[in-house]
Coordinates of all heavy atoms in Angstrom, one line a residue:
M1 N 110.3 138.4 100.0 CA 110.2 137.3 101.0 C 111.1 136.1 100.5 O 111.3 135.9 99.4 CB 108.8 136.8 101.1 CG 107.9 137.7 102.0 SD 107.5 136.8 103.5 CE 108.3 137.7 104.7
G2 N 111.6 135.4 101.5 CA 112.4 134.2 101.2 C 111.6 133.0 100.9 O 110.3 133.0 101.0
K3 N 112.3 131.9 100.5 CA 111.6 130.7 100.1 C 112.2 129.5 100.9 O 113.4 129.5 101.2 CB 111.8 130.5 98.6 CG 111.3 131.6 97.7 CD 109.8 131.5 97.6 CE 109.3 132.6 96.7 NZ 107.9 132.8 96.7
I4 N 111.3 128.5 101.1 CA 111.7 127.2 101.6 C 111.2 126.2 100.6 O 110.1 126.3 100.2 CB 111.1 127.0 103.0 CG1 111.7 128.0 104.0 CG2 111.4 125.5 103.5 CD1 111.0 127.9 105.4
T5 N 112.0 125.2 100.3 CA 111.6 124.1 99.4 C 111.4 122.8 100.2 O 112.3 122.4 100.9 CB 112.6 124.0 98.3 OG1 112.8 125.2 97.6 CG2 112.1 122.9 97.3
Y6 N 110.3 122.2 100.0 CA 110.0 120.9 100.6 C 110.0 119.9 99.4 O 109.3 120.1 98.4 CB 108.6 120.9 101.3 CG 108.5 121.8 102.5 CD1 108.2 123.2 102.3 CD2 108.6 121.3 103.7 CE1 108.1 124.0 103.4 CE2 108.5 122.1 104.9 CZ 108.3 123.5 104.7 OH 108.2 124.3 105.7
I7 N 110.7 118.8 99.6 CA 110.8 117.8 98.6 C 110.2 116.5 99.1 O 110.7 115.9 100.0 CB 112.3 117.6 98.1 CG1 112.9 118.9 97.7 CG2 112.3 116.5 97.0 CD1 114.4 118.8 97.3
E8 N 109.2 116.1 98.4 CA 108.5 114.8 98.7 C 109.4 113.6 98.5 O 110.4 113.8 97.7 CB 107.2 114.7 97.9 CG 106.1 115.7 98.3 CD 104.9 115.4 97.5 OE1 104.3 114.3 97.6 OE2 104.5 116.3 96.7
H9 N 109.0 112.5 99.0 CA 109.8 111.3 98.8 C 110.0 110.9 97.3 O 111.0 110.4 96.9 CB 109.1 110.1 99.5 CG 109.9 108.8 99.4 ND1 111.1 108.6 100.0 CD2 109.6 107.7 98.7 CE1 111.5 107.4 99.7 NE2 110.6 106.8 98.9
D10 N 109.0 111.3 96.5 CA 109.0 111.0 95.0 C 109.7 112.1 94.2 O 109.7 112.2 93.0 CB 107.7 110.8 94.5 CG 106.8 112.0 94.5 OD1 107.2 113.1 94.9 OD2 105.6 111.9 94.1
N11 N 110.4 113.1 95.0 CA 111.2 114.2 94.4 C 110.3 115.3 93.9 O 110.8 116.3 93.2 CB 112.2 113.7 93.4 CG 113.3 113.0 94.0 OD1 113.8 113.3 95.1 ND2 113.7 111.9 93.3
T12 N 109.0 115.4 94.2 CA 108.1 116.5 93.8 C 108.5 117.6 94.8 O 108.6 117.5 96.0 CB 106.7 116.1 94.0 OG1 106.3 115.0 93.2 CG2 105.8 117.3 93.6
E13 N 108.8 118.8 94.2 CA 109.2 120.0 95.0 C 108.0 120.9 95.2 O 107.2 121.1 94.3 CB 110.3 120.7 94.3 CG 111.6 119.9 94.2 CD 112.8 120.7 93.7 OE1 112.7 121.9 93.6 OE2 113.8 120.1 93.4
H14 N 108.0 121.5 96.4 CA 107.0 122.6 96.7 C 107.8 123.7 97.3 O 108.4 123.6 98.4 CB 106.0 122.0 97.8 CG 105.3 120.8 97.3 ND1 104.1 120.8 96.6 CD2 105.7 119.5 97.5 CE1 103.8 119.6 96.4 NE2 104.7 118.7 96.9
E15 N 107.8 124.8 96.6 CA 108.5 126.0 97.0 C 107.5 127.0 97.7 O 106.5 127.3 97.0 CB 109.2 126.7 95.9 CG 110.1 127.9 96.4 CD 110.9 128.5 95.2 OE1 110.3 129.4 94.5 OE2 112.0 128.1 95.0
V16 N 107.7 127.3 98.9 CA 106.7 128.2 99.6 C 107.5 129.4 100.2 O 108.7 129.3 100.4 CB 106.0 127.4 100.7 CG1 105.2 126.2 100.1 CG2 106.9 126.9 101.8
E17 N 106.7 130.5 100.4 CA 107.3 131.6 101.1 C 107.5 131.3 102.6 O 106.7 130.7 103.2 CB 106.4 132.8 101.0 CG 106.4 133.4 99.6 CD 105.7 134.8 99.5 OE1 105.5 135.4 100.6 OE2 105.2 135.1 98.4
L18 N 108.7 131.7 103.1 CA 108.9 131.5 104.5 C 108.2 132.6 105.3 O 108.0 133.7 104.8 CB 110.4 131.5 104.8 CG 111.3 132.7 104.6 CD1 111.1 133.7 105.8 CD2 112.7 132.2 104.5
V19 N 107.7 132.2 106.4 CA 106.9 133.1 107.3 C 107.7 133.1 108.6 O 107.7 132.1 109.4 CB 105.5 132.6 107.5 CG1 104.8 133.5 108.5 CG2 104.8 132.5 106.2
V20 N 108.4 134.2 108.8 CA 109.2 134.3 110.0 C 108.4 134.2 111.3 O 107.3 134.8 111.4 CB 110.0 135.6 110.1 CG1 110.7 135.9 111.4 CG2 111.0 135.7 108.9
G21 N 108.8 133.4 112.2 CA 108.1 133.1 113.5 C 107.2 131.9 113.5 O 106.7 131.5 114.5
S22 N 106.8 131.4 112.3 CA 106.0 130.2 112.2 C 107.0 129.0 112.3 O 108.2 129.2 112.6 CB 105.3 130.1 110.9 OG 106.1 129.9 109.8
T23 N 106.5 127.8 112.2 CA 107.4 126.7 112.2 C 107.5 126.0 110.8 O 106.6 126.3 110.0 CB 106.9 125.6 113.2 OG1 105.7 125.1 112.8 CG2 106.8 126.2 114.6
L24 N 108.4 125.2 110.6 CA 108.5 124.5 109.3 C 107.3 123.6 109.1 O 106.8 123.5 108.0 CB 109.8 123.6 109.3 CG 111.1 124.3 109.2 CD1 112.3 123.3 109.2 CD2 111.1 125.2 107.9
M25 N 106.7 123.1 110.2 CA 105.4 122.3 110.1 C 104.3 123.2 109.6 O 103.6 122.9 108.7 CB 105.1 121.6 111.4 CG 103.8 120.8 111.3 SD 103.0 120.5 112.8 CE 102.2 122.2 113.1
D26 N 104.1 124.3 110.3 CA 103.0 125.3 110.0 C 103.2 125.8 108.6 O 102.2 125.9 107.8 CB 103.0 126.5 110.9 CG 102.5 126.1 112.3 OD1 101.7 125.2 112.4 OD2 102.9 126.8 113.3
T27 N 104.4 126.1 108.1 CA 104.6 126.6 106.8 C 104.2 125.5 105.8 O 103.5 125.9 104.8 CB 106.1 127.0 106.6 OG1 106.4 128.0 107.6 CG2 106.3 127.5 105.2
A28 N 104.5 124.3 106.0 CA 104.1 123.2 105.1 C 102.6 123.0 105.1 O 102.0 122.9 104.0 CB 104.8 121.9 105.5
V29 N 102.0 122.9 106.3 CA 100.6 122.6 106.4 C 99.8 123.8 105.8 O 98.8 123.6 105.0 CB 100.2 122.4 107.9 CG1 98.7 122.4 108.0 CG2 100.8 121.1 108.4
N30 N 100.2 125.0 106.1 CA 99.5 126.2 105.5 C 99.6 126.3 104.0 O 98.8 127.1 103.4 CB 99.9 127.5 106.2 CG 99.5 127.5 107.7 OD1 98.6 126.8 108.1 ND2 100.2 128.3 108.4
N31 N 100.5 125.6 103.4 CA 100.7 125.7 102.0 C 100.4 124.3 101.3 O 100.7 124.1 100.2 CB 102.1 126.1 101.6 CG 102.4 127.5 101.9 OD1 102.0 128.4 101.1 ND2 103.0 127.9 103.0
A32 N 99.7 123.5 102.1 CA 99.2 122.2 101.6 C 100.3 121.3 101.0 O 100.1 120.7 100.0 CB 98.0 122.4 100.6
V33 N 101.4 121.3 101.6 CA 102.5 120.4 101.2 C 102.2 119.0 101.6 O 102.0 118.8 102.8 CB 103.9 120.9 101.8 CG1 105.0 119.9 101.5 CG2 104.2 122.3 101.3
P34 N 102.0 118.1 100.7 CA 101.7 116.7 101.1 C 102.8 116.1 101.8 O 104.0 116.3 101.5 CB 101.5 116.0 99.7 CG 101.5 117.1 98.7 CD 102.1 118.3 99.3
G35 N 102.5 115.2 102.8 CA 103.5 114.5 103.5 C 103.9 115.0 104.9 O 104.6 114.4 105.6
I36 N 103.3 116.2 105.2 CA 103.5 116.7 106.6 C 102.0 116.7 107.1 O 101.2 117.5 106.7 CB 104.0 118.2 106.5 CG1 105.4 118.2 106.0 CG2 104.0 118.8 107.9 CD1 106.5 117.6 106.9
D37 N 101.8 115.8 108.1 CA 100.5 115.7 108.7 C 100.3 116.7 109.9 O 99.2 117.3 110.0 CB 100.3 114.3 109.2 CG 100.4 113.3 108.0 OD1 100.0 113.7 106.9 OD2 100.8 112.1 108.2
G38 N 101.2 116.7 110.8 CA 101.1 117.6 111.9 C 99.9 117.3 112.8 O 99.1 118.2 113.2
D39 N 99.6 116.0 113.0 CA 98.4 115.6 113.7 C 98.2 116.2 115.1 O 97.1 116.4 115.5 CB 98.4 114.0 113.9 CG 98.2 113.3 112.5 OD1 97.8 114.0 111.6 OD2 98.6 112.1 112.5
C40 N 99.3 116.5 115.8 CA 99.1 117.1 117.2 C 99.1 118.6 117.1 O 99.0 119.2 118.2 CB 100.3 116.6 118.1 SG 101.9 117.3 117.7
G41 N 99.1 119.2 116.0 CA 99.0 120.6 115.9 C 100.2 121.4 116.3 O 100.2 122.6 116.5
G42 N 101.4 120.7 116.4 CA 102.6 121.3 116.7 C 103.0 121.2 118.2 O 103.9 122.0 118.7
A43 N 102.4 120.3 118.9 CA 102.7 120.1 120.3 C 103.8 119.2 120.6 O 104.1 118.8 121.8 CB 101.4 119.7 121.1
C44 N 104.6 118.7 119.6 CA 105.7 117.8 119.8 C 105.2 116.5 120.5 O 105.8 116.1 121.5 CB 106.8 118.4 120.5 SG 108.4 117.5 120.4
A45 N 104.1 116.0 120.0 CA 103.5 114.8 120.7 C 103.2 113.7 119.7 O 102.7 112.6 120.2 CB 102.1 115.2 121.3
C46 N 103.5 113.8 118.4 CA 103.1 112.7 117.5 C 104.2 112.3 116.5 O 104.2 111.2 116.1 CB 101.8 113.1 116.7 SG 102.0 114.4 115.5
G47 N 105.1 113.2 116.1 CA 106.1 112.9 115.1 C 105.7 112.8 113.7 O 106.4 112.4 112.8
T48 N 104.5 113.4 113.4 CA 104.0 113.4 112.0 C 104.4 114.6 111.1 O 103.9 114.9 110.1 CB 102.5 113.2 111.9 OG1 101.9 114.3 112.5 CG2 102.1 111.9 112.6
C49 N 105.5 115.2 111.6 CA 106.0 116.4 110.8 C 107.6 116.2 110.6 O 108.3 117.1 110.6 CB 105.7 117.7 111.5 SG 106.4 117.9 113.2
H50 N 107.9 114.9 110.5 CA 109.3 114.5 110.4 C 109.9 115.1 109.1 O 109.3 114.9 108.0 CB 109.4 113.0 110.4 CG 110.8 112.5 110.1 ND1 111.0 111.2 109.6 CD2 112.0 113.0 110.4 CE1 112.3 111.0 109.5 NE2 112.9 112.0 110.0
L51 N 111.0 115.8 109.2 CA 111.7 116.3 108.0 C 113.2 115.9 108.1 O 113.7 115.6 109.1 CB 111.7 117.9 108.1 CG 110.4 118.6 108.2 CD1 110.6 120.0 108.6 CD2 109.7 118.5 106.9
I52 N 113.8 115.9 106.9 CA 115.2 115.6 106.8 C 115.9 116.8 106.2 O 115.6 117.2 105.1 CB 115.5 114.3 106.0 CG1 114.7 113.1 106.6 CG2 117.0 114.0 105.9 CD1 114.5 111.9 105.8
V53 N 116.8 117.4 106.9 CA 117.5 118.5 106.5 C 118.9 118.1 106.0 O 119.5 117.1 106.4 CB 117.6 119.7 107.5 CG1 116.2 120.1 107.9 CG2 118.4 119.2 108.7
S54 N 119.5 118.9 105.2 CA 120.9 118.6 104.7 C 121.9 119.0 105.8 O 121.6 119.8 106.7 CB 121.2 119.4 103.4 OG 121.1 120.8 103.6
D55 N 123.0 118.4 105.7 CA 124.1 118.6 106.7 C 124.4 120.1 106.9 O 124.6 120.6 108.0 CB 125.4 117.8 106.4 CG 125.2 116.4 106.6 OD1 124.5 115.9 107.5 OD2 125.9 115.6 105.9
E56 N 124.5 120.8 105.8 CA 124.9 122.2 105.9 C 123.9 123.1 106.6 O 124.2 124.2 107.1 CB 125.3 122.8 104.5 CG 124.1 122.9 103.5 CD 124.0 121.7 102.6 OE1 124.7 120.7 102.8 OE2 123.3 121.8 101.6
W57 N 122.6 122.7 106.7 CA 121.6 123.5 107.3 C 121.4 123.0 108.8 O 120.9 123.8 109.6 CB 120.3 123.4 106.6 CG 120.2 124.3 105.4 CD1 120.5 123.9 104.1 CD2 119.9 125.7 105.4 NE1 120.4 125.0 103.3 CE2 120.0 126.1 104.1 CE3 119.6 126.6 106.4 CZ2 119.7 127.4 103.7 CZ3 119.3 127.9 106.0 CH2 119.4 128.3 104.7
L58 N 121.7 121.8 109.1 CA 121.4 121.2 110.4 C 121.8 122.1 111.6 O 121.0 122.4 112.5 CB 122.0 119.8 110.6 CG 121.5 119.1 111.8 CD1 120.0 118.9 111.8 CD2 122.2 117.8 111.9
G59 N 123.0 122.6 111.6 CA 123.6 123.5 112.6 C 122.9 124.8 112.8 O 123.0 125.5 113.8
R60 N 122.2 125.2 111.7 CA 121.5 126.6 111.7 C 120.1 126.5 112.3 O 119.5 127.5 112.4 CB 121.5 127.1 110.3 CG 122.9 127.3 109.7 CD 122.8 128.1 108.5 NE 123.5 127.4 107.4 CZ 123.5 127.8 106.1 NH1 122.8 128.8 105.8 NH2 124.1 127.1 105.2
L61 N 119.6 125.3 112.6 CA 118.2 125.2 113.0 C 118.0 125.1 114.5 O 116.9 124.9 114.9 CB 117.6 124.0 112.3 CG 117.6 123.9 110.8 CD1 116.9 122.7 110.2 CD2 117.1 125.2 110.2
G62 N 119.1 125.2 115.2 CA 119.0 125.1 116.7 C 119.1 123.6 117.1 O 119.0 122.7 116.2
E63 N 119.2 123.4 118.3 CA 119.4 122.0 118.8 C 118.0 121.4 119.2 O 117.1 122.1 119.7 CB 120.2 122.0 120.1 CG 121.7 122.3 119.8 CD 122.4 121.3 119.0 OE1 122.1 120.1 119.1 OE2 123.1 121.7 118.1
P64 N 117.8 120.1 118.9 CA 116.5 119.5 119.2 C 116.4 119.3 120.7 O 117.4 119.0 121.4 CB 116.5 118.1 118.5 CG 118.0 117.9 118.3 CD 118.6 119.2 118.1
G65 N 115.2 119.4 121.3 CA 115.0 119.2 122.7 C 114.8 117.7 123.0 O 114.7 116.9 122.1
S66 N 114.7 117.4 124.3 CA 114.6 116.0 124.7 C 113.3 115.4 124.2 O 113.3 114.2 123.8 CB 114.7 115.8 126.2 OG 113.7 116.5 126.8
D67 N 112.2 116.1 124.2 CA 110.9 115.6 123.7 C 111.0 115.2 122.2 O 110.5 114.2 121.7 CB 109.8 116.6 123.9 CG 109.4 116.7 125.4 OD1 109.7 115.8 126.2 OD2 108.7 117.7 125.7
E68 N 111.6 116.1 121.4 CA 111.8 115.9 120.0 C 112.6 114.7 119.8 O 112.3 113.8 118.9 CB 112.4 117.1 119.4 CG 112.6 117.0 117.9 CD 113.2 118.2 117.2 OE1 113.5 119.2 117.9 OE2 113.4 118.2 116.0
L69 N 113.7 114.6 120.5 CA 114.6 113.4 120.3 C 113.9 112.1 120.7 O 114.1 111.1 120.0 CB 115.9 113.6 121.2 CG 116.8 114.7 120.7 CD1 117.9 114.9 121.8 CD2 117.4 114.4 119.4
Q70 N 113.1 112.1 121.7 CA 112.3 110.9 122.0 C 111.4 110.5 120.9 O 111.3 109.3 120.6 CB 111.5 111.1 123.3 CG 112.3 111.0 124.6 CD 111.5 111.2 125.8 OE1 110.6 112.1 125.8 NE2 111.7 110.4 126.8
L71 N 110.7 111.4 120.3 CA 109.8 111.1 119.2 C 110.6 110.6 118.0 O 110.2 109.7 117.3 CB 108.9 112.3 118.8 CG 107.8 112.5 119.8 CD1 107.1 113.9 119.5 CD2 106.8 111.4 119.7
L72 N 111.7 111.3 117.7 CA 112.5 110.9 116.6 C 113.1 109.5 116.7 O 113.3 108.7 115.8 CB 113.7 111.9 116.3 CG 113.3 113.2 115.7 CD1 114.4 114.2 115.8 CD2 112.7 113.1 114.3
D73 N 113.4 109.1 118.0 CA 113.8 107.7 118.2 C 112.8 106.7 117.8 O 113.2 105.5 117.5 CB 114.2 107.6 119.7 CG 115.5 108.2 120.1 OD1 116.3 108.4 119.2 OD2 115.8 108.4 121.3
M74 N 111.6 107.0 117.8 CA 110.5 106.1 117.4 C 110.2 106.1 115.9 O 109.4 105.4 115.4 CB 109.2 106.4 118.2 CG 109.4 106.2 119.6 SD 107.8 106.4 120.5 CE 107.6 108.2 120.4
T75 N 110.9 107.0 115.2 CA 110.6 107.2 113.7 C 111.4 106.2 112.9 O 112.7 106.2 113.0 CB 111.0 108.6 113.3 OG1 110.2 109.5 114.2 CG2 110.7 108.9 111.9
P76 N 110.8 105.3 112.2 CA 111.5 104.3 111.4 C 112.5 104.9 110.4 O 113.5 104.3 110.1 CB 110.4 103.5 110.7 CG 109.1 103.9 111.3 CD 109.3 105.2 112.0
E77 N 112.2 106.0 109.8 CA 113.0 106.6 108.7 C 114.0 107.7 109.3 O 114.5 108.5 108.5 CB 112.2 107.1 107.6 CG 111.4 106.1 106.9 CD 110.6 106.6 105.7 OE1 111.2 106.9 104.7 OE2 109.4 106.8 105.9
R78 N 114.2 107.6 110.6 CA 115.1 108.7 111.1 C 116.5 108.5 110.6 O 117.0 107.4 110.4 CB 115.2 108.5 112.6 CG 116.0 109.6 113.3 CD 116.2 109.4 114.7 NE 117.0 110.5 115.3 CZ 117.2 110.7 116.5 NH1 116.8 109.8 117.4 NH2 117.9 111.7 116.9
C79 N 117.1 109.7 110.4 CA 118.5 109.7 110.0 C 119.2 110.8 110.9 O 118.6 111.5 111.7 CB 118.7 110.0 108.5 SG 118.1 111.5 107.9
K80 N 120.5 111.0 110.7 CA 121.2 111.9 111.6 C 120.8 113.3 111.4 O 121.0 114.1 112.3 CB 122.7 111.7 111.4 CG 123.2 112.2 110.1 CD 124.7 112.1 110.0 CE 125.2 112.6 108.6 NZ 126.4 113.3 108.7
T81 N 120.2 113.7 110.4 CA 119.7 115.1 110.1 C 118.2 115.2 110.2 O 117.7 116.2 109.7 CB 120.3 115.6 108.8 OG1 119.7 114.8 107.7 CG2 121.8 115.6 108.7
S82 N 117.6 114.3 110.9 CA 116.1 114.4 111.1 C 115.7 115.4 112.1 O 116.4 115.6 113.1 CB 115.5 113.0 111.5 OG 115.6 112.1 110.5
R83 N 114.6 116.1 111.8 CA 114.1 117.1 112.8 C 112.5 116.9 112.7 O 112.0 116.5 111.7 CB 114.5 118.5 112.5 CG 115.9 118.8 112.7 CD 116.4 118.7 114.1 NE 115.6 119.5 115.1 CZ 115.8 120.7 115.4 NH1 116.9 121.4 114.9 NH2 115.1 121.3 116.3
L84 N 111.9 117.4 113.7 CA 110.4 117.6 113.7 C 110.1 119.0 113.3 O 110.6 120.0 113.9 CB 109.8 117.2 115.0 CG 109.9 115.8 115.5 CD1 109.2 115.6 116.8 CD2 109.4 114.8 114.4
G85 N 109.3 119.2 112.2 CA 109.1 120.5 111.7 C 108.4 121.4 112.7 O 108.6 122.6 112.7
C86 N 107.6 120.8 113.7 CA 106.9 121.7 114.7 C 107.9 122.3 115.7 O 107.5 123.2 116.4 CB 105.9 120.9 115.4 SG 106.5 119.6 116.5
Q87 N 109.1 121.8 115.7 CA 110.1 122.3 116.7 C 111.1 123.2 116.1 O 112.0 123.7 116.8 CB 110.8 121.1 117.3 CG 109.8 120.2 118.1 CD 109.1 121.0 119.2 OE1 109.7 121.5 120.1 NE2 107.8 121.1 119.1
V88 N 111.0 123.5 114.8 CA 111.9 124.4 114.1 C 111.2 125.7 113.7 O 110.4 125.7 112.8 CB 112.6 123.7 112.9 CG1 113.6 124.7 112.2 CG2 113.2 122.4 113.3
E89 N 111.6 126.8 114.4 CA 111.0 128.1 114.1 C 111.7 128.7 112.9 O 112.9 128.7 112.8 CB 111.1 129.0 115.3 CG 110.4 130.3 115.1 CD 110.4 131.2 116.4 OE1 110.3 130.7 117.5 OE2 110.5 132.5 116.2
V90 N 110.9 129.2 112.0 CA 111.4 129.8 110.8 C 112.0 131.2 111.1 O 111.4 132.0 111.8 CB 110.3 129.9 109.7 CG1 110.8 130.6 108.5 CG2 109.8 128.5 109.4
T91 N 113.2 131.4 110.5 CA 113.9 132.7 110.6 C 114.2 133.2 109.2 O 114.2 132.4 108.3 CB 115.2 132.6 111.4 OG1 116.1 131.8 110.7 CG2 114.9 132.0 112.8
E92 N 114.5 134.5 109.1 CA 114.9 135.1 107.8 C 116.1 134.3 107.3 O 116.3 134.2 106.0 CB 115.2 136.6 107.9 CG 113.9 137.4 108.1 CD 114.2 138.9 108.2 OE1 115.3 139.3 107.8 OE2 113.3 139.6 108.7
A93 N 117.0 133.9 108.1 CA 118.2 133.2 107.7 C 118.0 131.9 107.0 O 118.9 131.3 106.5 CB 119.1 133.0 108.9
M94 N 116.7 131.4 107.1 CA 116.4 130.1 106.4 C 116.0 130.3 104.9 O 115.6 129.3 104.3 CB 115.2 129.4 107.2 CG 115.7 128.9 108.5 SD 114.3 128.1 109.4 CE 115.0 127.9 111.0
D95 N 116.1 131.5 104.4 CA 115.9 131.7 103.0 C 116.8 130.7 102.2 O 118.0 130.7 102.3 CB 116.2 133.1 102.6 CG 115.8 133.4 101.1 OD1 115.1 132.6 100.5 OD2 116.3 134.4 100.6
G96 N 116.1 129.9 101.3 CA 116.9 128.9 100.5 C 116.9 127.5 101.1 O 117.5 126.6 100.5
L97 N 116.4 127.4 102.3 CA 116.4 126.1 103.0 C 115.6 125.0 102.1 O 114.6 125.3 101.6 CB 115.8 126.2 104.4 CG 115.5 124.8 105.1 CD1 116.8 124.2 105.5 CD2 114.7 125.1 106.3
T98 N 116.2 123.9 102.0 CA 115.5 122.7 101.3 C 115.5 121.6 102.3 O 116.4 121.3 103.0 CB 116.3 122.3 100.1 OG1 116.3 123.4 99.2 CG2 115.6 121.1 99.4
V99 N 114.3 121.0 102.5 CA 114.1 119.9 103.4 C 113.4 118.8 102.6 O 112.7 119.0 101.7 CB 113.2 120.2 104.6 CG1 113.9 121.2 105.5 CG2 111.9 120.7 104.3
R100 N 113.8 117.5 102.9 CA 113.2 116.4 102.3 C 112.2 115.7 103.3 O 112.4 115.8 104.5 CB 114.3 115.4 102.0 CG 115.3 116.0 100.9 CD 116.2 114.9 100.3 NE 115.5 114.0 99.4 CZ 115.2 114.4 98.1 NH1 115.6 115.5 97.7 NH2 114.6 113.5 97.3
L101 N 111.2 115.1 102.7 CA 110.2 114.5 103.5 C 110.4 113.0 103.4 O 110.6 112.5 102.3 CB 108.8 114.8 103.0 CG 108.5 116.3 102.9 CD1 107.1 116.6 102.3 CD2 108.6 117.0 104.2
P102 N 110.2 112.2 104.5 CA 110.4 110.8 104.4 C 109.2 110.2 103.6 O 108.2 110.8 103.4 CB 110.4 110.4 105.9 CG 109.6 111.4 106.5 CD 109.9 112.7 105.8
E103 N 109.3 108.9 103.3 CA 108.2 108.3 102.6 C 107.0 108.1 103.4 O 105.9 108.3 103.0 CB 108.7 106.9 102.1 CG 107.6 106.2 101.2 CD 108.1 104.9 100.6 OE1 109.3 104.5 100.9 OE2 107.4 104.3 99.8
F104 N 107.2 107.9 104.7 CA 106.1 107.7 105.6 C 106.3 108.5 106.9 O 107.4 108.7 107.3 CB 106.0 106.2 106.1 CG 105.8 105.3 104.9 CD1 106.9 104.5 104.5 CD2 104.6 105.2 104.2 CE1 106.8 103.6 103.5 CE2 104.5 104.3 103.2 CZ 105.6 103.5 102.8
Q105 N 105.2 109.0 107.4 CA 105.2 109.7 108.7 C 104.7 108.7 109.7 O 104.1 107.7 109.4 CB 104.3 110.9 108.8 CG 104.7 112.0 107.9 CD 106.0 112.8 108.4 OE1 106.5 112.6 109.4 NE2 106.5 113.7 107.5
M106 N 105.0 108.9 111.0 CA 104.6 107.9 112.1 C 103.1 107.9 112.2 O 102.4 108.7 111.9 CB 105.1 108.3 113.4 CG 106.6 108.0 113.5 SD 107.3 108.2 115.2 CE 106.1 108.8 116.2

């Protein structure tokens, strides 16, 4: 199985097995990664699964939808490579993906 690494704001790393077909939010929550709240359960309604991906991975995660972009617009720590974990479906091609978590979620 492949791995995804989540890096907390304080640089603590959490390496978890990727689960094809789940989302980056579900993978984090199911592995007790601190810093991903997922308050809305993945309905793209709260923005508490904000992730920051590196430039080289951004194009491989698909395009964000309008609902995701609206929530990201309200996120104080948004950057150009921000995504909501509930909107990114995990694929086998994500083996080795590293994402950073912002200091605060909305």
Side-chain angles (χ1 to χ4, degrees):
M1 279 250 116
K3 302 285 183 190
I4 296 174
T5 303
Y6 296 84
I7 303 175
E8 292 182 64
H9 181 72
D10 68 1
N11 291 320
T12 302
E13 294 188 13
H14 304 272
E15 187 176 86
V16 301
E17 285 189 23
L18 64 81
V19 178
V20 174
S22 68
T23 64
L24 289 178
M25 183 206 73
D26 287 333
T27 302
V29 169
N30 292 340
N31 287 280
V33 174
I36 296 289
D37 300 329
D39 290 342
C40 71
C44 195
C46 70
T48 61
C49 60
H50 177 206
L51 304 168
I52 302 164
V53 300
S54 60
D55 286 331
E56 64 265 13
W57 280 97
L58 188 61
R60 298 189 233 174
L61 303 183
E63 292 295 319
S66 61
D67 290 342
E68 180 179 0
L69 291 172
Q70 283 182 316
L71 284 171
L72 287 170
D73 282 343
M74 296 185 290
T75 304
E77 294 183 77
R78 182 185 184 176
C79 63
K80 67 178 183 143
T81 61
S82 289
R83 291 296 307 268
L84 295 181
C86 70
Q87 297 301 295
V88 180
E89 186 174 326
V90 175
T91 67
E92 288 181 17
M94 291 180 188
D95 183 18
L97 172 66
T98 298
V99 296
R100 298 192 73 80
L101 307 177
E103 185 173 7
F104 304 104
Q105 295 287 354
M106 286 189 356

